[in-house]
């Protein structure tokens, strides 16, 4: 069991003042799901154990980082069996590279502790999915079970139900990963798992 508070050393530039400048994205910002991210928006990133077929047709473990929605984080906090080994929470500014309205990459170095000891890839469409996942926490304060830079493995990890990836491109570089390098590492199982989580939650609620 591990619940660890990590020190993030990245120095984030002081947010420039925007006097007199109305960003286009703030024009349609009434819906919390549409508002641009702010530096302290919540990101939960999971280390998930998936599987990929090797050349000999054998399934090998393939670990990925992927963003969790508020619903997913709440679900695994409830002890539902999932492929998530551990989870780390980050402020959006420590997760995304570049302008939060239009991130250019992921600050992989800030996820080092989460992936320590594993060969990890980024999930497919990581930027788009992360932006969307982060916004789900705006309506679910109670889902923020980890503090920023806190990591936990107190979850019900299981690979009994295997998530299969189409193919995997390793991201071993400690450098930031640019969007054009983020790759189709994500399999069709995702929808299935989402559905599965929903079903399990419903089962729990009905119990
Ligand atoms: C993990 O999930 C399984 C299946 O639902 C359950 O039997 C088991 O008790 C859970 N373990 C923990 C530690 O919650």
């Amino acid at each position: 069991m591990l619940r660890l508070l990590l020190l993030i050393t990245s120095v984030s530039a002081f947010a420039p003042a925007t006097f007199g400048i109305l960003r286009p994205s703030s024009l349609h910002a009434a819906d919390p799901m549409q508002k641009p991210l702010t530096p302290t928006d919540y990101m939960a990133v999971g280390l998930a154990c998936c599987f990929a077929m090797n050349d000999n047709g054998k399934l090998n473990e393939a670990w990925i980082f992927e963003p969790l929605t508020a619903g997913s984080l709440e679900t695994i906090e409830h002890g539902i069996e999932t492929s998530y080994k551990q989870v780390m929470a980050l402020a959006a500014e420590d997760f995304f590279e570049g302008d939060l309205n239009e991130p250019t990459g992921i600050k992989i170095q800030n996820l080092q502790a989460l992936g320590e000891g594993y060969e990890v890839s980024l999930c497919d469409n990581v930027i788009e999915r992360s932006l969307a996942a982060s916004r789900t926490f705006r309506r679910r304060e109670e889902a923020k079970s980890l503090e920023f830079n806190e990591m936990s493995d107190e979850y019900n990890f299981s690979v009994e139900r295997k998530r299969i990836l189409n193919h995997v491109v390793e991201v071993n570089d400690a450098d930031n990963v640019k969007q054009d390098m983020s790759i189709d590492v994500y399999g069709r199982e995702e929808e299935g798992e989402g559905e599965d989580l929903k079903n399990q939650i419903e089962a729990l609620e009905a119990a």
Side-chain angles (χ1 to χ4, degrees):
M1 294 299 182
L2 172 77
R3 228 163 236 265
L4 195 62
L5 203 58
L6 300 151
L7 188 66
I8 296 285
T9 50
S10 80
V11 183
S12 59
F14 190 74
T18 52
F19 303 112
I21 301 168
L22 191 59
R23 289 181 174 282
S25 47
S26 64
L27 292 171
H28 51 81
D31 180 351
M33 298 302 281
Q34 295 300 322
K35 267 192 212 159
L37 290 193
T38 65
T40 55
D41 260 301
Y42 195 87
M43 271 302 309
V45 185
L47 174 69
C49 184
C50 301
F51 291 84
M53 196 80 77
N54 71 12
D55 292 341
N56 303 320
K58 251 194 80 187
L59 284 180
N60 288 341
E61 278 186 7
W63 294 85
I64 61 168
F65 287 138
E66 67 182 347
L68 296 184
T69 62
S72 300
L73 185 54
E74 285 183 309
T75 300
I76 66 171
E77 284 281 342
H78 275 108
I80 303 288
E81 273 186 343
T82 68
S83 60
Y84 295 110
K85 178 74 180 162
Q86 48 203 30
V87 177
M88 185 179 178
L90 290 164
E93 65 177 344
D94 290 325
F95 179 76
F96 292 104
E97 185 70 51
D99 185 341
L100 288 175
N101 293 314
E102 223 169 326
T104 53
I106 302 299
K107 291 176 176 168
I108 280 286
Q109 71 272 23
N110 288 344
L111 297 173
Q112 240 163 18
L114 183 64
E116 188 92 51
Y118 300 89
E119 272 195 30
V120 188
S121 307
L122 288 169
C123 71
D124 189 25
N125 295 326
V126 64
I127 293 179
E128 292 79 0
R129 290 181 57 200
S130 300
L131 289 169
S134 178
R135 289 185 169 96
T136 64
F137 285 91
R138 292 179 167 173
R139 300 188 298 206
R140 294 277 273 278
E141 282 298 316
E142 66 277 17
K144 299 178 180 176
S145 48
L146 299 171
E147 289 173 44
F148 285 148
N149 309 325
E150 190 181 10
M151 191 167 87
S152 175
D153 70 351
E154 293 174 341
Y155 305 112
N156 198 346
F157 172 69
S158 165
V159 292
E160 200 167 315
R161 190 178 174 283
K162 290 186 172 49
R163 297 174 55 188
I164 315 292
L165 303 174
N166 293 332
H167 65 276
V168 171
V169 180
E170 296 300 337
V171 181
N172 293 324
D173 205 284
D175 289 337
N176 297 337
V177 177
K178 299 294 177 215
Q179 172 135 41
D180 54 276
M181 286 175 57
S182 81
I183 320 70
D184 183 22
V185 294
Y186 208 68
R188 259 161 262 154
E189 283 290 292
E190 163 62 6
E191 290 308 314
E193 173 135 85
E195 277 305 305
D196 196 41
L197 288 180
K198 253 182 265 160
N199 294 341
Q200 292 186 59
I201 283 196
E202 278 163 20
L204 264 193
E205 283 170 353

